[in-house]
Amino acid sequence: MNQLFFQCRAITPMFMAGADNKARQASALELRAPSIKGVMRFWWRAAQAESDIAILKRKEAAIFGGTGEREGKSKFSIRILNSAGIGVGDCREYKPLPHHTGNSSCFCVQKQVEKRCSKGRPQLAITTDHIFSVAFSNSFELLPQDFTQEHLKSLFTLTAILGGLGKRSRRGFGSFQITQVNGQSQSVAVDLNPPS
């Protein structure tokens, strides 16, 4: 069993919750492995130069798993090592829609009957500088030949650079930085090309 360990730091607030989608207290905030795998899957698709959808789906199922015949589960697993470590000090309220004021002077009030902006309310989020660790486990026998452990490392790095976790990630929230890989400090310059 091969493992990769990433230590990450939140750069922007992360609006993430577990079963309670509208987190109102620190205990409801949660970094979840399925969320990370879903973002990685999205960026894997975006990075593929495959025009045939059937081939793309077959490759995707070979790596991430699928529901079709003989596809089965993912060839690697993800664990958040300190997910229970989100405490009161690691969260605070932020406005996910900072352009809404949350009162009657907001620009969106003119379109509403109640004459009150409900979109500008602050929501609880994981703060910037929150440190979390992500562990990947896989077996060389399970990973497809054209997707090695170095590809997995590069994909998570690509996800950290281009993507984000949680709500409003397409607007810059939920960004994170990889600070260590397998205990080694990660430099700012990242080589996304796996060794040949």
Side-chain angles (χ1 to χ4, degrees):
M1 185 71 65
N2 296 301
Q3 294 192 334
L4 281 171
F5 295 96
F6 293 90
Q7 185 180 47
C8 305
R9 181 178 68 87
I11 298 173
T12 59
M14 294 181 167
F15 295 101
M16 297 188 73
D20 181 11
N21 198 16
K22 300 195 185 303
R24 291 180 181 88
Q25 54 189 353
S27 62
L29 295 175
E30 183 180 10
L31 284 166
R32 301 184 65 238
S35 300
I36 291 174
K37 190 176 278 187
V39 173
M40 288 177 65
R41 193 174 200 145
F42 172 84
W43 286 111
W44 179 87
R45 281 185 203 146
Q48 298 305 302
E50 182 60 61
S51 59
D52 187 348
I53 298 297
I55 293 172
L56 184 69
K57 285 183 178 181
R58 193 168 42 251
K59 285 181 180 180
E60 182 179 348
I63 298 166
F64 295 99
T67 58
E69 282 187 40
R70 296 182 296 174
E71 289 179 345
K73 66 178 188 169
S74 176
K75 305 306 183 256
F76 63 92
S77 64
I78 301 176
R79 287 181 301 134
I80 310 299
L81 299 179
N82 52 351
S83 63
I86 299 172
V88 176
D90 294 321
C91 63
R92 70 172 253 228
E93 289 189 334
Y94 293 93
K95 284 187 169 185
L97 298 168
H99 55 284
H100 287 272
T101 61
N103 57 33
S104 61
S105 64
C106 185
F107 70 93
C108 71
V109 171
Q110 298 162 357
K111 301 174 189 173
Q112 297 176 353
V113 177
E114 293 181 23
K115 300 297 182 197
R116 185 178 63 91
C117 175
S118 61
K119 296 179 181 179
R121 285 180 281 177
Q123 295 179 16
L124 208 55
I126 299 169
T127 60
T128 58
D129 293 327
H130 174 72
I131 304 293
F132 62 97
S133 298
V134 181
F136 292 88
S137 301
N138 68 308
S139 174
F140 276 132
E141 301 85 46
L142 295 178
L143 284 177
Q145 289 181 349
D146 60 344
F147 191 82
T148 65
Q149 189 169 16
E150 281 300 313
H151 287 98
L152 185 61
K153 180 180 171 184
S154 296
L155 178 59
F156 187 68
T157 304
L158 180 74
T159 301
I161 292 170
L162 298 178
L165 302 173
K167 288 194 293 186
R168 306 293 291 169
S169 62
R170 293 185 184 184
R171 298 288 184 183
F173 287 103
S175 297
F176 64 98
Q177 172 187 24
I178 298 171
T179 56
Q180 289 184 3
V181 179
N182 290 334
Q184 305 259 330
S185 291
Q186 183 77 357
S187 65
V188 175
V190 177
D191 181 14
L192 294 176
N193 297 316
S196 304

